Amino acid sequence: DTAVSQTPKYLVTQMGNDKSIKCEQNLGHDTMYWYKQDSKKFLKIMFSYNNKELIINETVPNRFSPKSPDKAHLNLHINSLELGDSAVYFCASSQDSSGGVLEQFFGPGTRLTVL
Amino acid sequence: GDSVTQMEGPVTLSEEAFLTINCTYTATGYPSLFWYVQYPGEGLQLLLKATKADDKGSNKGFEATYRKETTSFHLEKGSVQVSDSAVYFCALSGWAAGNKLTFGGGTRVLVKP
């Protein structure tokens, strides 16, 4: 069984469109994250949620809006897509972010290409 | 803020060679340190971790020791295989920062038969 899954795996779209990437974890974890990996493989956190509550928002443009309908899901919606949004987006989860540092489990990534 | 610096690649090796990837960090407090590996076309997998000074993490023949005095967490493997070809990321995390991972730039390793 896949622990952290993302859909779609590939997403090709035009500038100005709105798109969503879905993430689900079946590990029973409390905390979920979104990371962005650029073309040079550099990884940077975007958001984290703990039990559906936003914990981290790393100066991401407000065109990006995470939504957590329940603690097993953290979706990423992107409005008015720009060329610079082209990247691989990784979802991750961990048991709990408070009081201890725990391993994060990553999804397979979604490669977004904006034309 | 927190940061991680690791050697730039690519690193090209022959099979059975010794691999070292240097990693140094700056952080407030006492972070935990990680090495993640990304195989071609895949997501990140945790390779090993260390949560306090002098801890040694090990897995699949890879080792790294948390050196607080030199703020380093170098990754080593004594005899690499072609299947070790991947991108390796050093990272740190602290609960005070909401457990977010701060990554180094990644080091691509290519092992040739």
Side-chain angles (χ1 to χ4, degrees):
Chain A
D1 285 342
T2 303
V4 182
S5 59
Q6 297 178 226
T7 54
K9 189 171 175 64
Y10 300 97
L11 183 54
V12 180
T13 188
Q14 300 287 331
M15 275 176 53
N17 284 351
D18 303 338
K19 291 293 178 184
S20 292
I21 305 172
K22 295 185 177 181
C23 178
E24 176 181 2
Q25 54 93 5
N26 62 6
L27 298 167
H29 288 167
D30 297 308
T31 306
M32 297 183 72
Y33 312 80
W34 277 108
Y35 290 86
K36 179 180 179 181
Q37 185 176 44
D38 64 22
S39 59
K40 296 183 178 179
K41 296 289 188 182
F42 188 72
L43 273 155
K44 186 173 171 60
I45 190 163
M46 301 174 68
F47 301 101
S48 79
Y49 269 72
N50 182 270
N51 275 319
K52 303 195 303 175
E53 182 180 341
L54 181 66
I55 302 299
I56 294 173
N57 182 340
E58 287 283 311
T59 61
V60 177
N62 58 14
R63 297 183 296 103
F64 290 78
S65 52
K67 287 184 171 53
S68 183
D70 55 62
K71 75 173 193 176
H73 296 83
L74 180 62
N75 303 323
L76 183 64
H77 189 75
I78 315 170
N79 290 327
S80 303
L81 278 155
E82 300 177 356
L83 293 176
D85 298 332
S86 296
V88 181
Y89 293 84
F90 287 100
C91 179
S93 71
S94 67
Q95 183 64 35
D96 193 333
S97 67
S98 62
V101 177
L102 297 165
E103 175 184 352
Q104 293 184 24
F105 293 80
F106 282 78
T110 296
R111 181 176 294 278
L112 171 65
T113 303
V114 182
L115 303 176
Chain B
D2 297 347
S3 68
V4 178
T5 302
Q6 60 182 105
M7 58 191 289
E8 289 190 25
V11 174
T12 303
L13 302 164
S14 297
E15 225 171 1
E16 300 183 3
F18 185 87
L19 171 67
T20 299
I21 304 176
N22 290 338
C23 171
T24 57
Y25 67 91
T26 58
T28 53
Y30 302 96
S32 291
L33 302 174
F34 305 84
W35 277 100
Y36 279 83
V37 58
Q38 185 177 27
Y39 297 104
E42 298 185 13
L44 280 82
Q45 302 174 26
L46 179 67
L47 183 59
L48 53 85
K49 68 179 180 181
T51 57
K52 61 182 187 296
D54 300 326
D55 269 2
K56 177 186 282 188
S58 61
N59 185 26
K60 299 181 180 180
F62 290 89
E63 292 184 340
T65 300
Y66 189 143
R67 301 286 188 199
K68 189 170 182 295
E69 63 277 11
T70 55
T71 61
S72 64
F73 193 54
H74 304 323
L75 182 69
E76 296 181 337
K77 185 173 185 181
S79 177
V80 294
Q81 305 300 314
V82 172
S83 57
D84 294 324
S85 298
V87 181
Y88 292 82
F89 292 92
C90 185
L92 66 80
S93 180
W95 69 266
N99 202 33
K100 70 174 184 180
L101 283 166
T102 298
F103 287 92
T107 302
R108 183 179 299 277
V109 172
L110 177 60
V111 181
K112 296 186 174 181

